[in-house]
Amino acid sequence: MKTARIVIGGNNGDEGKGTVVAKYTKGRQNVLNVLTNGGSQRGHSVITDVGEHTFQHFGSGTYYGASNYYSSFFVINPMQFRKEWDELVVKPTVYRDERCRWSTPFDMIANSITEEQKNSHASCRMGIWNTIKRYTETATRSFDEFVQLLPLRMKFEYISRVKQYYEHRITIPEQWKSIWNNPNLVLHFIEDCKFMFEHTVRVSPKSSDILKFDNYIFENGQGLLLSDTGKDTADTTPSKTGIKYSEVIMRELGLNDDNCNTTLHYVTRPYLTRHGDGIFTQQSDRKNISSGVMEDRTNHYNDAQGEFRYGKLDIDELNNRICNDCNNRDFMVELTHCDEMDRVSEFRKVFKNVETIDSPIV
């Protein structure tokens, strides 16, 4: 019997999903860590016996030996892949769904420009929304076609069309033009694409490479409060952040209740957090939430996301969110940061299965 664990954020992200993924990977063999949705805008900080890392383009079970799988819902970014690969203490085997959409530097720069023009802190500026929208509006090539089939001249031409796509839609500010028009940017990107191609294994959902595992752990990005509404706003992310994509992937992999024991893990702190812009009616000074709530050391101010905000969590509202998402399956609540605020008894009055994590060290 195979096992599958689906790890889902209960709120606005930053709940501790990476810690939970590492917790259930540690000590287990033959694990496939599925990056279910989103892209490298995720930042899952994990402290392990091996080392500390904020995982963006890799699974949080990597340091405990898990192989990685980019699902078709995950937007790959060759630049971020190469940068983070060089930082990793443990280099995983990485499988890449042949249908993955892929970002270019112009998706990222256009994202940054529009955020600056709006004076917004609603995006991580990794170009996720831009990439997805461009895919719906233009003819695109698969990552493998781009790397394998196109000669260098045609690679430059293809990326030039992406560049022109944005030039017809936004005004490039003077301070960005030296980067925007730098041919070395494209040349380095092409090299990054080749690097990622050489360090990943292209698969389809029926490939024996990803069907051979005994344990699957699905690592969602973001949280239930940010799930896609179809609109690019400060309050959403361009993917379904709950169980939906994991269920699709499991069907593609042939995993079902007859051959796989599946557990849902909804992750939350005992309080709420939120990055940057966006509606946050529950916001409060962290000292008014609890004297023990500490300033988050992995989420300091940055130009992309702005201030890291804190708020009070309504446990009944969380329960409603989870029940609306779980598709009538049993689930566990993974309560992190318990050393900062003791609400365990309150959670256990509402939820049947509650696991607690006191320390960020897995």
Side-chain angles (χ1 to χ4, degrees), residues 2-6 34 36 69 71 73 205-206 211 216 218 243-257 259-264 329:
K2 294 178 181 287
T3 68
R5 298 182 186 273
I6 302 174
V34 182
T36 312
Y69 173 47
S71 85
F73 301 107
K206 298 301 181 184
L211 299 178
Y216 296 81
F218 294 78
I243 192 177
K244 182 175 180 178
Y245 290 164
S246 294
E247 288 187 322
V248 172
I249 299 164
M250 288 185 67
R251 285 196 296 270
E252 291 180 341
L253 297 175
L255 300 177
N256 55 56
D257 292 340
N259 60 23
C260 183
N261 182 18
T262 303
T263 311
L264 304 187
R329 289 181 173 271

PDB file of all heavy atoms in Angstrom, residues 2-6 34 36 69 71 73 205-206 211 216 218 243-257 259-264 329:
ATOM      1  N   LYS A   2       0.671   2.144  -0.950  1.00  0.00           N
ATOM      2  CA  LYS A   2       1.411   3.398  -0.990  1.00  0.00           C
ATOM      3  C   LYS A   2       0.800   4.391   0.000  1.00  0.00           C
ATOM      4  O   LYS A   2      -0.327   4.204   0.465  1.00  0.00           O
ATOM      5  CB  LYS A   2       1.376   3.982  -2.401  1.00  0.00           C
ATOM      6  CG  LYS A   2       2.110   3.156  -3.463  1.00  0.00           C
ATOM      7  CD  LYS A   2       1.970   3.781  -4.839  1.00  0.00           C
ATOM      8  CE  LYS A   2       2.662   2.973  -5.913  1.00  0.00           C
ATOM      9  NZ  LYS A   2       4.125   3.093  -5.838  1.00  0.00           N
ATOM     10  N   THR A   3       1.552   5.439   0.315  1.00  0.00           N
ATOM     11  CA  THR A   3       1.017   6.505   1.154  1.00  0.00           C
ATOM     12  C   THR A   3       1.139   7.837   0.430  1.00  0.00           C
ATOM     13  O   THR A   3       2.078   8.054  -0.347  1.00  0.00           O
ATOM     14  CB  THR A   3       1.764   6.611   2.501  1.00  0.00           C
ATOM     15  OG1 THR A   3       3.102   7.063   2.269  1.00  0.00           O
ATOM     16  CG2 THR A   3       1.788   5.287   3.218  1.00  0.00           C
ATOM     17  N   ALA A   4       0.182   8.713   0.683  1.00  0.00           N
ATOM     18  CA  ALA A   4       0.231  10.079   0.152  1.00  0.00           C
ATOM     19  C   ALA A   4      -0.167  11.035   1.259  1.00  0.00           C
ATOM     20  O   ALA A   4      -1.143  10.800   1.979  1.00  0.00           O
ATOM     21  CB  ALA A   4      -0.708  10.222  -1.044  1.00  0.00           C
ATOM     22  N   ARG A   5       0.584  12.099   1.395  1.00  0.00           N
ATOM     23  CA  ARG A   5       0.261  13.173   2.337  1.00  0.00           C
ATOM     24  C   ARG A   5       0.130  14.458   1.541  1.00  0.00           C
ATOM     25  O   ARG A   5       1.019  14.795   0.757  1.00  0.00           O
ATOM     26  CB  ARG A   5       1.340  13.304   3.410  1.00  0.00           C
ATOM     27  CG  ARG A   5       1.498  12.065   4.279  1.00  0.00           C
ATOM     28  CD  ARG A   5       2.554  12.275   5.349  1.00  0.00           C
ATOM     29  NE  ARG A   5       2.803  11.046   6.104  1.00  0.00           N
ATOM     30  CZ  ARG A   5       2.123  10.666   7.170  1.00  0.00           C
ATOM     31  NH1 ARG A   5       1.129  11.429   7.626  1.00  0.00           N
ATOM     32  NH2 ARG A   5       2.420   9.549   7.807  1.00  0.00           N
ATOM     33  N   ILE A   6      -0.975  15.156   1.746  1.00  0.00           N
ATOM     34  CA  ILE A   6      -1.222  16.417   1.045  1.00  0.00           C
ATOM     35  C   ILE A   6      -1.139  17.538   2.070  1.00  0.00           C
ATOM     36  O   ILE A   6      -1.953  17.599   2.997  1.00  0.00           O
ATOM     37  CB  ILE A   6      -2.595  16.404   0.351  1.00  0.00           C
ATOM     38  CG1 ILE A   6      -2.686  15.227  -0.633  1.00  0.00           C
ATOM     39  CG2 ILE A   6      -2.844  17.726  -0.375  1.00  0.00           C
ATOM     40  CD1 ILE A   6      -4.062  15.044  -1.253  1.00  0.00           C
ATOM     41  N   VAL A  34       6.149  16.252  -4.215  1.00  0.00           N
ATOM     42  CA  VAL A  34       5.469  16.868  -5.361  1.00  0.00           C
ATOM     43  C   VAL A  34       5.249  18.354  -5.085  1.00  0.00           C
ATOM     44  O   VAL A  34       4.581  18.716  -4.109  1.00  0.00           O
ATOM     45  CB  VAL A  34       4.115  16.184  -5.627  1.00  0.00           C
ATOM     46  CG1 VAL A  34       3.445  16.804  -6.850  1.00  0.00           C
ATOM     47  CG2 VAL A  34       4.298  14.679  -5.810  1.00  0.00           C
ATOM     48  N   THR A  36       3.157  21.033  -5.919  1.00  0.00           N
ATOM     49  CA  THR A  36       1.827  20.893  -6.491  1.00  0.00           C
ATOM     50  C   THR A  36       1.407  22.072  -7.348  1.00  0.00           C
ATOM     51  O   THR A  36       0.837  21.898  -8.424  1.00  0.00           O
ATOM     52  CB  THR A  36       0.794  20.720  -5.351  1.00  0.00           C
ATOM     53  OG1 THR A  36       1.270  19.731  -4.437  1.00  0.00           O
ATOM     54  CG2 THR A  36      -0.546  20.296  -5.898  1.00  0.00           C
ATOM     55  N   TYR A  69       9.297  16.475  -7.742  1.00  0.00           N
ATOM     56  CA  TYR A  69       8.495  16.390  -8.967  1.00  0.00           C
ATOM     57  C   TYR A  69       7.747  17.687  -9.165  1.00  0.00           C
ATOM     58  O   TYR A  69       6.952  18.094  -8.320  1.00  0.00           O
ATOM     59  CB  TYR A  69       7.517  15.216  -8.877  1.00  0.00           C
ATOM     60  CG  TYR A  69       6.508  15.136 -10.015  1.00  0.00           C
ATOM     61  CD1 TYR A  69       6.898  15.273 -11.348  1.00  0.00           C
ATOM     62  CD2 TYR A  69       5.163  14.895  -9.743  1.00  0.00           C
ATOM     63  CE1 TYR A  69       5.973  15.188 -12.381  1.00  0.00           C
ATOM     64  CE2 TYR A  69       4.225  14.796 -10.773  1.00  0.00           C
ATOM     65  CZ  TYR A  69       4.631  14.948 -12.082  1.00  0.00           C
ATOM     66  OH  TYR A  69       3.715  14.869 -13.106  1.00  0.00           O
ATOM     67  N   SER A  71       4.862  19.321 -10.811  1.00  0.00           N
ATOM     68  CA  SER A  71       3.623  18.927 -11.473  1.00  0.00           C
ATOM     69  C   SER A  71       3.329  19.879 -12.628  1.00  0.00           C
ATOM     70  O   SER A  71       3.958  20.931 -12.766  1.00  0.00           O
ATOM     71  CB  SER A  71       2.463  18.946 -10.481  1.00  0.00           C
ATOM     72  OG  SER A  71       1.908  20.258 -10.381  1.00  0.00           O
ATOM     73  N   PHE A  73       1.023  21.828 -12.844  1.00  0.00           N
ATOM     74  CA  PHE A  73       0.478  23.076 -12.308  1.00  0.00           C
ATOM     75  C   PHE A  73       1.568  23.989 -11.749  1.00  0.00           C
ATOM     76  O   PHE A  73       1.270  25.106 -11.330  1.00  0.00           O
ATOM     77  CB  PHE A  73      -0.547  22.773 -11.205  1.00  0.00           C
ATOM     78  CG  PHE A  73      -1.708  21.938 -11.660  1.00  0.00           C
ATOM     79  CD1 PHE A  73      -1.819  20.612 -11.281  1.00  0.00           C
ATOM     80  CD2 PHE A  73      -2.687  22.477 -12.476  1.00  0.00           C
ATOM     81  CE1 PHE A  73      -2.888  19.837 -11.700  1.00  0.00           C
ATOM     82  CE2 PHE A  73      -3.765  21.713 -12.907  1.00  0.00           C
ATOM     83  CZ  PHE A  73      -3.861  20.383 -12.515  1.00  0.00           C
ATOM     84  N   PRO A 205       2.868  11.967 -16.646  1.00  0.00           N
ATOM     85  CA  PRO A 205       2.298  11.394 -15.413  1.00  0.00           C
ATOM     86  C   PRO A 205       2.319   9.870 -15.368  1.00  0.00           C
ATOM     87  O   PRO A 205       2.209   9.287 -14.289  1.00  0.00           O
ATOM     88  CB  PRO A 205       0.855  11.916 -15.422  1.00  0.00           C
ATOM     89  CG  PRO A 205       0.901  13.137 -16.262  1.00  0.00           C
ATOM     90  CD  PRO A 205       1.916  12.857 -17.322  1.00  0.00           C
ATOM     91  N   LYS A 206       2.474   9.218 -16.517  1.00  0.00           N
ATOM     92  CA  LYS A 206       2.481   7.755 -16.549  1.00  0.00           C
ATOM     93  C   LYS A 206       3.896   7.185 -16.605  1.00  0.00           C
ATOM     94  O   LYS A 206       4.068   5.979 -16.772  1.00  0.00           O
ATOM     95  CB  LYS A 206       1.671   7.254 -17.746  1.00  0.00           C
ATOM     96  CG  LYS A 206       0.197   7.643 -17.710  1.00  0.00           C
ATOM     97  CD  LYS A 206      -0.507   7.118 -16.459  1.00  0.00           C
ATOM     98  CE  LYS A 206      -1.979   7.492 -16.444  1.00  0.00           C
ATOM     99  NZ  LYS A 206      -2.632   7.071 -15.176  1.00  0.00           N
ATOM    100  N   LEU A 211       6.177   6.668 -10.902  1.00  0.00           N
ATOM    101  CA  LEU A 211       5.215   5.699 -10.386  1.00  0.00           C
ATOM    102  C   LEU A 211       5.863   4.698  -9.440  1.00  0.00           C
ATOM    103  O   LEU A 211       5.171   3.911  -8.796  1.00  0.00           O
ATOM    104  CB  LEU A 211       4.546   4.947 -11.544  1.00  0.00           C
ATOM    105  CG  LEU A 211       3.736   5.791 -12.535  1.00  0.00           C
ATOM    106  CD1 LEU A 211       3.181   4.909 -13.651  1.00  0.00           C
ATOM    107  CD2 LEU A 211       2.608   6.522 -11.829  1.00  0.00           C
ATOM    108  N   TYR A 216       4.364   9.514  -1.281  1.00  0.00           N
ATOM    109  CA  TYR A 216       4.203  10.772  -2.006  1.00  0.00           C
ATOM    110  C   TYR A 216       3.802  11.856  -1.008  1.00  0.00           C
ATOM    111  O   TYR A 216       2.912  11.647  -0.183  1.00  0.00           O
ATOM    112  CB  TYR A 216       3.127  10.648  -3.084  1.00  0.00           C
ATOM    113  CG  TYR A 216       3.467   9.654  -4.172  1.00  0.00           C
ATOM    114  CD1 TYR A 216       3.273   8.290  -3.985  1.00  0.00           C
ATOM    115  CD2 TYR A 216       3.987  10.083  -5.395  1.00  0.00           C
ATOM    116  CE1 TYR A 216       3.602   7.368  -4.975  1.00  0.00           C
ATOM    117  CE2 TYR A 216       4.310   9.175  -6.396  1.00  0.00           C
ATOM    118  CZ  TYR A 216       4.114   7.819  -6.181  1.00  0.00           C
ATOM    119  OH  TYR A 216       4.442   6.914  -7.153  1.00  0.00           O
ATOM    120  N   PHE A 218       2.663  15.822  -1.134  1.00  0.00           N
ATOM    121  CA  PHE A 218       2.267  16.944  -1.979  1.00  0.00           C
ATOM    122  C   PHE A 218       2.436  18.234  -1.179  1.00  0.00           C
ATOM    123  O   PHE A 218       1.810  18.407  -0.133  1.00  0.00           O
ATOM    124  CB  PHE A 218       0.818  16.792  -2.434  1.00  0.00           C
ATOM    125  CG  PHE A 218       0.593  15.612  -3.340  1.00  0.00           C
ATOM    126  CD1 PHE A 218       0.495  14.325  -2.826  1.00  0.00           C
ATOM    127  CD2 PHE A 218       0.493  15.781  -4.707  1.00  0.00           C
ATOM    128  CE1 PHE A 218       0.301  13.233  -3.654  1.00  0.00           C
ATOM    129  CE2 PHE A 218       0.292  14.701  -5.553  1.00  0.00           C
ATOM    130  CZ  PHE A 218       0.195  13.421  -5.027  1.00  0.00           C
ATOM    131  N   ILE A 243      -7.047  21.316  -2.079  1.00  0.00           N
ATOM    132  CA  ILE A 243      -6.866  19.908  -2.427  1.00  0.00           C
ATOM    133  C   ILE A 243      -6.985  19.624  -3.931  1.00  0.00           C
ATOM    134  O   ILE A 243      -6.499  18.609  -4.428  1.00  0.00           O
ATOM    135  CB  ILE A 243      -7.891  19.039  -1.652  1.00  0.00           C
ATOM    136  CG1 ILE A 243      -7.540  17.556  -1.761  1.00  0.00           C
ATOM    137  CG2 ILE A 243      -9.302  19.316  -2.124  1.00  0.00           C
ATOM    138  CD1 ILE A 243      -8.469  16.663  -0.965  1.00  0.00           C
ATOM    139  N   LYS A 244      -7.583  20.537  -4.693  1.00  0.00           N
ATOM    140  CA  LYS A 244      -7.995  20.246  -6.067  1.00  0.00           C
ATOM    141  C   LYS A 244      -6.867  19.715  -6.937  1.00  0.00           C
ATOM    142  O   LYS A 244      -6.994  18.661  -7.581  1.00  0.00           O
ATOM    143  CB  LYS A 244      -8.608  21.485  -6.704  1.00  0.00           C
ATOM    144  CG  LYS A 244      -9.100  21.248  -8.127  1.00  0.00           C
ATOM    145  CD  LYS A 244      -9.811  22.465  -8.698  1.00  0.00           C
ATOM    146  CE  LYS A 244     -10.287  22.183 -10.124  1.00  0.00           C
ATOM    147  NZ  LYS A 244     -11.023  23.332 -10.690  1.00  0.00           N
ATOM    148  N   TYR A 245      -5.758  20.431  -7.030  1.00  0.00           N
ATOM    149  CA  TYR A 245      -4.683  20.015  -7.928  1.00  0.00           C
ATOM    150  C   TYR A 245      -4.065  18.694  -7.485  1.00  0.00           C
ATOM    151  O   TYR A 245      -3.711  17.853  -8.318  1.00  0.00           O
ATOM    152  CB  TYR A 245      -3.598  21.085  -8.008  1.00  0.00           C
ATOM    153  CG  TYR A 245      -3.994  22.346  -8.732  1.00  0.00           C
ATOM    154  CD1 TYR A 245      -3.239  23.508  -8.586  1.00  0.00           C
ATOM    155  CD2 TYR A 245      -5.110  22.402  -9.560  1.00  0.00           C
ATOM    156  CE1 TYR A 245      -3.581  24.689  -9.245  1.00  0.00           C
ATOM    157  CE2 TYR A 245      -5.465  23.567 -10.213  1.00  0.00           C
ATOM    158  CZ  TYR A 245      -4.693  24.716 -10.058  1.00  0.00           C
ATOM    159  OH  TYR A 245      -5.035  25.873 -10.705  1.00  0.00           O
ATOM    160  N   SER A 246      -3.949  18.487  -6.184  1.00  0.00           N
ATOM    161  CA  SER A 246      -3.379  17.227  -5.696  1.00  0.00           C
ATOM    162  C   SER A 246      -4.251  16.046  -6.112  1.00  0.00           C
ATOM    163  O   SER A 246      -3.736  14.981  -6.481  1.00  0.00           O
ATOM    164  CB  SER A 246      -3.239  17.262  -4.169  1.00  0.00           C
ATOM    165  OG  SER A 246      -2.288  18.227  -3.764  1.00  0.00           O
ATOM    166  N   GLU A 247      -5.557  16.237  -6.059  1.00  0.00           N
ATOM    167  CA  GLU A 247      -6.461  15.158  -6.481  1.00  0.00           C
ATOM    168  C   GLU A 247      -6.298  14.855  -7.968  1.00  0.00           C
ATOM    169  O   GLU A 247      -6.318  13.682  -8.382  1.00  0.00           O
ATOM    170  CB  GLU A 247      -7.904  15.534  -6.165  1.00  0.00           C
ATOM    171  CG  GLU A 247      -8.233  15.505  -4.683  1.00  0.00           C
ATOM    172  CD  GLU A 247      -9.697  15.713  -4.404  1.00  0.00           C
ATOM    173  OE1 GLU A 247     -10.338  16.540  -5.099  1.00  0.00           O
ATOM    174  OE2 GLU A 247     -10.223  15.065  -3.477  1.00  0.00           O
ATOM    175  N   VAL A 248      -6.130  15.897  -8.780  1.00  0.00           N
ATOM    176  CA  VAL A 248      -5.907  15.687 -10.226  1.00  0.00           C
ATOM    177  C   VAL A 248      -4.614  14.903 -10.446  1.00  0.00           C
ATOM    178  O   VAL A 248      -4.571  13.939 -11.220  1.00  0.00           O
ATOM    179  CB  VAL A 248      -5.848  17.038 -10.964  1.00  0.00           C
ATOM    180  CG1 VAL A 248      -5.419  16.830 -12.419  1.00  0.00           C
ATOM    181  CG2 VAL A 248      -7.193  17.743 -10.909  1.00  0.00           C
ATOM    182  N   ILE A 249      -3.544  15.320  -9.775  1.00  0.00           N
ATOM    183  CA  ILE A 249      -2.250  14.659  -9.940  1.00  0.00           C
ATOM    184  C   ILE A 249      -2.323  13.213  -9.477  1.00  0.00           C
ATOM    185  O   ILE A 249      -1.780  12.299 -10.127  1.00  0.00           O
ATOM    186  CB  ILE A 249      -1.157  15.424  -9.168  1.00  0.00           C
ATOM    187  CG1 ILE A 249      -1.015  16.844  -9.710  1.00  0.00           C
ATOM    188  CG2 ILE A 249       0.183  14.696  -9.268  1.00  0.00           C
ATOM    189  CD1 ILE A 249      -0.261  17.788  -8.787  1.00  0.00           C
ATOM    190  N   MET A 250      -3.000  12.963  -8.368  1.00  0.00           N
ATOM    191  CA  MET A 250      -3.126  11.590  -7.875  1.00  0.00           C
ATOM    192  C   MET A 250      -3.856  10.708  -8.882  1.00  0.00           C
ATOM    193  O   MET A 250      -3.460   9.555  -9.115  1.00  0.00           O
ATOM    194  CB  MET A 250      -3.844  11.581  -6.523  1.00  0.00           C
ATOM    195  CG  MET A 250      -2.997  12.115  -5.383  1.00  0.00           C
ATOM    196  SD  MET A 250      -3.788  11.960  -3.755  1.00  0.00           S
ATOM    197  CE  MET A 250      -3.837  10.192  -3.543  1.00  0.00           C
ATOM    198  N   ARG A 251      -4.901  11.231  -9.485  1.00  0.00           N
ATOM    199  CA  ARG A 251      -5.607  10.450 -10.523  1.00  0.00           C
ATOM    200  C   ARG A 251      -4.673  10.146 -11.689  1.00  0.00           C
ATOM    201  O   ARG A 251      -4.673   9.029 -12.232  1.00  0.00           O
ATOM    202  CB  ARG A 251      -6.845  11.199 -10.998  1.00  0.00           C
ATOM    203  CG  ARG A 251      -8.006  11.179 -10.008  1.00  0.00           C
ATOM    204  CD  ARG A 251      -9.311  11.581 -10.668  1.00  0.00           C
ATOM    205  NE  ARG A 251      -9.280  12.956 -11.138  1.00  0.00           N
ATOM    206  CZ  ARG A 251      -9.648  14.014 -10.404  1.00  0.00           C
ATOM    207  NH1 ARG A 251     -10.060  13.837  -9.151  1.00  0.00           N
ATOM    208  NH2 ARG A 251      -9.619  15.232 -10.909  1.00  0.00           N
ATOM    209  N   GLU A 252      -3.879  11.135 -12.087  1.00  0.00           N
ATOM    210  CA  GLU A 252      -2.941  10.917 -13.192  1.00  0.00           C
ATOM    211  C   GLU A 252      -1.906   9.853 -12.839  1.00  0.00           C
ATOM    212  O   GLU A 252      -1.464   9.092 -13.706  1.00  0.00           O
ATOM    213  CB  GLU A 252      -2.232  12.225 -13.539  1.00  0.00           C
ATOM    214  CG  GLU A 252      -3.135  13.270 -14.176  1.00  0.00           C
ATOM    215  CD  GLU A 252      -2.400  14.556 -14.495  1.00  0.00           C
ATOM    216  OE1 GLU A 252      -1.309  14.796 -13.932  1.00  0.00           O
ATOM    217  OE2 GLU A 252      -2.911  15.328 -15.327  1.00  0.00           O
ATOM    218  N   LEU A 253      -1.531   9.789 -11.582  1.00  0.00           N
ATOM    219  CA  LEU A 253      -0.540   8.810 -11.134  1.00  0.00           C
ATOM    220  C   LEU A 253      -1.161   7.453 -10.817  1.00  0.00           C
ATOM    221  O   LEU A 253      -0.453   6.513 -10.454  1.00  0.00           O
ATOM    222  CB  LEU A 253       0.188   9.325  -9.889  1.00  0.00           C
ATOM    223  CG  LEU A 253       1.014  10.611 -10.058  1.00  0.00           C
ATOM    224  CD1 LEU A 253       1.583  11.057  -8.714  1.00  0.00           C
ATOM    225  CD2 LEU A 253       2.133  10.412 -11.055  1.00  0.00           C
ATOM    226  N   GLY A 254      -2.474   7.371 -10.934  1.00  0.00           N
ATOM    227  CA  GLY A 254      -3.153   6.107 -10.635  1.00  0.00           C
ATOM    228  C   GLY A 254      -3.275   5.814  -9.163  1.00  0.00           C
ATOM    229  O   GLY A 254      -3.461   4.658  -8.757  1.00  0.00           O
ATOM    230  N   LEU A 255      -3.189   6.852  -8.327  1.00  0.00           N
ATOM    231  CA  LEU A 255      -3.316   6.665  -6.879  1.00  0.00           C
ATOM    232  C   LEU A 255      -4.769   6.854  -6.470  1.00  0.00           C
ATOM    233  O   LEU A 255      -5.392   7.867  -6.802  1.00  0.00           O
ATOM    234  CB  LEU A 255      -2.425   7.677  -6.146  1.00  0.00           C
ATOM    235  CG  LEU A 255      -0.925   7.613  -6.444  1.00  0.00           C
ATOM    236  CD1 LEU A 255      -0.188   8.725  -5.710  1.00  0.00           C
ATOM    237  CD2 LEU A 255      -0.348   6.249  -6.070  1.00  0.00           C
ATOM    238  N   ASN A 256      -5.306   5.887  -5.744  1.00  0.00           N
ATOM    239  CA  ASN A 256      -6.695   5.963  -5.297  1.00  0.00           C
ATOM    240  C   ASN A 256      -6.834   5.281  -3.944  1.00  0.00           C
ATOM    241  O   ASN A 256      -5.854   4.773  -3.382  1.00  0.00           O
ATOM    242  CB  ASN A 256      -7.634   5.330  -6.341  1.00  0.00           C
ATOM    243  CG  ASN A 256      -7.232   3.909  -6.687  1.00  0.00           C
ATOM    244  OD1 ASN A 256      -7.132   3.059  -5.807  1.00  0.00           O
ATOM    245  ND2 ASN A 256      -6.987   3.654  -7.975  1.00  0.00           N
ATOM    246  N   ASP A 257      -8.038   5.259  -3.429  1.00  0.00           N
ATOM    247  CA  ASP A 257      -8.255   4.719  -2.084  1.00  0.00           C
ATOM    248  C   ASP A 257      -7.985   3.216  -1.996  1.00  0.00           C
ATOM    249  O   ASP A 257      -7.800   2.682  -0.899  1.00  0.00           O
ATOM    250  CB  ASP A 257      -9.688   5.013  -1.627  1.00  0.00           C
ATOM    251  CG  ASP A 257      -9.930   6.490  -1.384  1.00  0.00           C
ATOM    252  OD1 ASP A 257      -8.940   7.225  -1.191  1.00  0.00           O
ATOM    253  OD2 ASP A 257     -11.098   6.919  -1.404  1.00  0.00           O
ATOM    254  N   ASN A 259      -5.354   1.670  -3.481  1.00  0.00           N
ATOM    255  CA  ASN A 259      -3.921   1.344  -3.472  1.00  0.00           C
ATOM    256  C   ASN A 259      -3.065   2.349  -2.713  1.00  0.00           C
ATOM    257  O   ASN A 259      -1.843   2.224  -2.667  1.00  0.00           O
ATOM    258  CB  ASN A 259      -3.388   1.216  -4.908  1.00  0.00           C
ATOM    259  CG  ASN A 259      -3.549   2.507  -5.710  1.00  0.00           C
ATOM    260  OD1 ASN A 259      -3.650   3.594  -5.156  1.00  0.00           O
ATOM    261  ND2 ASN A 259      -3.574   2.375  -7.032  1.00  0.00           N
ATOM    262  N   CYS A 260      -3.718   3.358  -2.105  1.00  0.00           N
ATOM    263  CA  CYS A 260      -2.950   4.426  -1.468  1.00  0.00           C
ATOM    264  C   CYS A 260      -3.674   4.938  -0.225  1.00  0.00           C
ATOM    265  O   CYS A 260      -4.865   5.257  -0.284  1.00  0.00           O
ATOM    266  CB  CYS A 260      -2.720   5.572  -2.460  1.00  0.00           C
ATOM    267  SG  CYS A 260      -1.702   6.911  -1.832  1.00  0.00           S
ATOM    268  N   ASN A 261      -2.962   5.012   0.854  1.00  0.00           N
ATOM    269  CA  ASN A 261      -3.491   5.581   2.094  1.00  0.00           C
ATOM    270  C   ASN A 261      -3.185   7.079   2.098  1.00  0.00           C
ATOM    271  O   ASN A 261      -2.032   7.482   2.244  1.00  0.00           O
ATOM    272  CB  ASN A 261      -2.848   4.888   3.294  1.00  0.00           C
ATOM    273  CG  ASN A 261      -3.391   5.389   4.612  1.00  0.00           C
ATOM    274  OD1 ASN A 261      -4.453   5.993   4.665  1.00  0.00           O
ATOM    275  ND2 ASN A 261      -2.655   5.136   5.675  1.00  0.00           N
ATOM    276  N   THR A 262      -4.213   7.905   1.951  1.00  0.00           N
ATOM    277  CA  THR A 262      -4.028   9.347   1.780  1.00  0.00           C
ATOM    278  C   THR A 262      -4.430  10.111   3.034  1.00  0.00           C
ATOM    279  O   THR A 262      -5.484   9.853   3.612  1.00  0.00           O
ATOM    280  CB  THR A 262      -4.859   9.857   0.584  1.00  0.00           C
ATOM    281  OG1 THR A 262      -4.477   9.145  -0.596  1.00  0.00           O
ATOM    282  CG2 THR A 262      -4.634  11.351   0.357  1.00  0.00           C
ATOM    283  N   THR A 263      -3.589  11.056   3.440  1.00  0.00           N
ATOM    284  CA  THR A 263      -3.856  11.891   4.604  1.00  0.00           C
ATOM    285  C   THR A 263      -3.755  13.351   4.212  1.00  0.00           C
ATOM    286  O   THR A 263      -2.814  13.749   3.512  1.00  0.00           O
ATOM    287  CB  THR A 263      -2.839  11.616   5.736  1.00  0.00           C
ATOM    288  OG1 THR A 263      -2.731  10.212   5.949  1.00  0.00           O
ATOM    289  CG2 THR A 263      -3.272  12.291   7.023  1.00  0.00           C
ATOM    290  N   LEU A 264      -4.726  14.143   4.651  1.00  0.00           N
ATOM    291  CA  LEU A 264      -4.684  15.586   4.434  1.00  0.00           C
ATOM    292  C   LEU A 264      -4.122  16.264   5.672  1.00  0.00           C
ATOM    293  O   LEU A 264      -4.510  15.943   6.795  1.00  0.00           O
ATOM    294  CB  LEU A 264      -6.080  16.145   4.153  1.00  0.00           C
ATOM    295  CG  LEU A 264      -6.886  15.547   3.007  1.00  0.00           C
ATOM    296  CD1 LEU A 264      -8.155  16.370   2.792  1.00  0.00           C
ATOM    297  CD2 LEU A 264      -6.078  15.520   1.736  1.00  0.00           C
ATOM    298  N   ARG A 329     -13.072  14.348   3.098  1.00  0.00           N
ATOM    299  CA  ARG A 329     -12.031  13.448   3.584  1.00  0.00           C
ATOM    300  C   ARG A 329     -11.663  13.794   5.024  1.00  0.00           C
ATOM    301  O   ARG A 329     -11.772  14.943   5.449  1.00  0.00           O
ATOM    302  CB  ARG A 329     -10.775  13.557   2.713  1.00  0.00           C
ATOM    303  CG  ARG A 329     -10.909  12.957   1.318  1.00  0.00           C
ATOM    304  CD  ARG A 329      -9.593  13.107   0.567  1.00  0.00           C
ATOM    305  NE  ARG A 329      -9.597  12.420  -0.711  1.00  0.00           N
ATOM    306  CZ  ARG A 329      -9.246  11.162  -0.899  1.00  0.00           C
ATOM    307  NH1 ARG A 329      -8.873  10.432   0.162  1.00  0.00           N
ATOM    308  NH2 ARG A 329      -9.254  10.608  -2.083  1.00  0.00           N
TER     309      ARG A 329
END
